[in-house]
Amino acid sequence: MKEHIHTIPVLDALREPGHCPFCKIYDKLEADAIDFIMGPSLSYMTEDVRDETNAAGFCEEHLGKLYAVQNRLGLALMLHTHFKFIQKNMEISKIAEVSGGLFKKGESQTDRIAKKIVAFQNRCYICEKIDNTFLRYMDTFFYLWPKDSNIKQLVKALPGFCLPHYAQMLSLSEKAFSKKQLDDFLSVVIPLQKAAMEKLEGDMDWFIQKFDYRNSDAPWKDSKDAINRTMAMLKGAIIE
């Protein structure tokens, strides 16, 4: 099958050895999103981007990654207007004006303000930007499955998927495939994941056993990076 601009990132992630291919796609999208905001293009200065970052804010993880870019002025400008947006729209200061609101029937003013804050905290500009594109790449993966004769072999060569992306893939596959295609797909990915998890459990077991003095001279086999691979499998946390 001829490769196209929308299929290349998916096929590249499948061909690259090691780790969950969807983690590789996600990490690339994340790096691109951070560079889009804080990089040479200075997108944080444009009105439409600032409007979006003001309204959505950032999760704790992405605040840390934005800070690591070392563009202090750019981050300060975004946080300043974002903070002003919160003050204007969250009504946080009104909490001090509430009198007996906690004991009124129905939703009190404090409840309403608290819910607005919680809903706001659940948003992140970077997460939302990544997720919108990531789902398109996962759709591309499903699109390729029945059309590209090589994709099964690429998947069979994988060391499994991280559990978050494995669950997401299984959930979306039911809508993406016909019954026949779904059966074919599951006949590949379920045994693959089962074997990957069994091997990883065995590697972790041997890693632990290596700390027994009786095994000090025994070979490490494939267990030296078992902790790293287990973290990657459980949460998609790729740590080299």
Side-chain angles (χ1 to χ4, degrees):
M1 181 178 178
K2 186 177 180 181
E3 296 183 13
H4 300 280
I5 190 167
H6 65 286
T7 65
I8 290 174
V10 175
L11 292 170
D12 284 349
L14 290 170
R15 290 174 181 140
E16 185 182 341
H19 301 305
C20 168
F22 295 117
C23 284
K24 298 169 196 169
I25 292 172
Y26 187 94
D27 288 349
K28 178 65 165 57
L29 291 173
E30 181 180 61
D32 289 346
I34 292 173
D35 185 65
F36 169 75
I37 302 173
M38 305 296 286
S41 64
L42 302 181
S43 296
Y44 62 84
M45 293 295 293
T46 63
E47 185 176 355
D48 57 338
V49 171
R50 191 72 72 82
D51 286 344
E52 292 180 29
T53 59
N54 286 346
F58 302 99
C59 66
E60 181 180 358
E61 180 180 356
H62 285 133
L63 271 176
K65 291 184 177 182
L66 289 172
Y67 187 81
V69 174
Q70 299 292 321
N71 182 348
R72 295 292 186 263
L73 176 59
L75 184 57
L77 289 168
M78 279 197 299
L79 292 180
H80 183 225
T81 55
H82 171 54
F83 201 72
K84 289 170 68 176
F85 179 91
I86 294 174
Q87 288 180 298
K88 180 180 179 181
N89 292 277
M90 294 295 103
E91 304 178 55
I92 294 173
S93 61
K94 288 187 177 181
I95 293 175
E97 302 170 9
V98 175
S99 177
L102 289 173
F103 303 101
K104 295 177 182 178
K105 290 184 178 180
E107 184 179 59
S108 68
Q109 188 178 25
T110 49
D111 287 335
R112 181 173 57 82
I113 295 171
K115 286 181 180 179
K116 290 181 71 173
I117 296 171
V118 169
F120 179 76
Q121 288 291 313
N122 288 334
R123 293 194 64 191
C124 171
Y125 171 81
I126 295 177
C127 287
E128 292 172 8
K129 186 175 179 64
I130 294 169
D131 289 344
N132 290 335
T133 308
F134 181 82
L135 286 174
R136 292 202 293 272
Y137 281 130
M138 194 163 274
D139 286 341
T140 299
F141 171 74
F142 294 136
Y143 166 80
L144 287 170
W145 183 264
K147 297 180 180 295
D148 191 331
S149 58
N150 295 319
I151 197 166
K152 281 186 189 179
Q153 297 308 313
L154 291 174
V155 170
K156 287 179 180 180
L158 294 172
F161 302 90
C162 76
L163 291 182
H165 287 141
Y166 183 62
Q168 186 176 16
M169 180 179 65
L170 291 180
S171 178
L172 293 174
S173 65
E174 291 192 353
K175 296 180 180 179
F177 292 134
S178 67
K179 178 65 168 62
K180 182 179 179 181
Q181 290 171 341
L182 180 62
D183 290 343
D184 177 59
F185 177 70
L186 296 179
S187 72
V188 174
V189 298
I190 290 178
L192 170 75
Q193 189 71 8
K194 181 176 183 291
M197 295 183 71
E198 287 175 350
K199 176 162 192 325
L200 184 54
E201 191 277 328
D203 290 344
M204 277 294 293
D205 179 67
W206 183 242
F207 180 91
I208 294 167
Q209 289 189 52
K210 271 290 292 175
F211 285 84
D212 186 324
Y213 73 94
R214 292 169 293 185
N215 298 318
S216 60
D217 294 329
W220 281 91
K221 303 178 185 178
D222 292 332
S223 70
K224 276 194 173 181
D225 64 345
I227 290 178
N228 305 63
R229 287 186 288 119
T230 301
M231 292 171 66
M233 175 74 78
L234 290 173
K235 297 293 182 181
I238 299 177
I239 300 174
E240 302 291 351

